[in-house]
Amino acid sequence: MIKVWGRSTSSNVQTVMWTLAELGLENERINVGGAFGGNDTADYLAMNPHGLIPVLQDEPDVTLWESTAITRYLLAKYGDESIYPNDPAVRAKGDMWADWAKGTFAPVLMYKVFWTLVRTPKADRDMAMLAESVEQLKTLLSNAERLLAKQPWISGDQLGYGDLIFGHLLYRYYTLPIDRADLPALQAYYDELTARTAYSENVMISYESLRVE
Ligand SMILES: N[C@@H](CCC(=O)N[C@@H](CS)C(=O)NCC(=O)O)C(=O)O
């Protein structure tokens, strides 16, 4: 059976768990990382030399780290044409937004806004950087808004790789106490995501246990 190593509160673990659920793949998740620890043992480092979560093991001998690489592996091995198109030009449309989500949007949302509001003691918060980052999110998401006004999913006509890498971040975006731009297509897209059991069960997970006051 497929095994995932990583705590459920990790957004990178959530990408993998959501993908597994969309593909209907049975799996076992082992709590590792954060308060659970266990990601600095020799056995764990043999699976991921960086000591980070998630790690995915698929029988007989596939061991992978990096959530995006894991997601692509799962889609390529177990997905069909609708979730991971064979046509390179069609696939690349979802890839572009996935790379943008991971490389441009997530660093601002996760490392600046989420980290400041949830994982930094109040006394140490850089409020000027936070305000600037919240404004930056409005600009970044207005680009996603224009796409979603034209098509139902980030990847195109069907939920795909771009959605899995971008969409899981929206739970944190919409639940953090920040000022948000009025983006109706993005809001409708998020509503569609939250109506999916695969998303609600694997992504909409409280991050209160990570909070530092
Ligand atoms: N680029 C990596 C990032 C992995 C990463 O930074 N994981 C965090 C959790 S989201 C981690 O392992 N933190 C240490 C811990 O939880 O103990 C990926 O996408 O998988």
Side-chain angles (χ1 to χ4, degrees), residues 7 10-12 33-34 39 52-54 66-67 102:
R7 58 186 162 82
S10 152
S11 67
N12 292 308
N39 47 333
L52 295 173
I53 55 172
E66 282 295 331
S67 59
K102 188 77 178 171

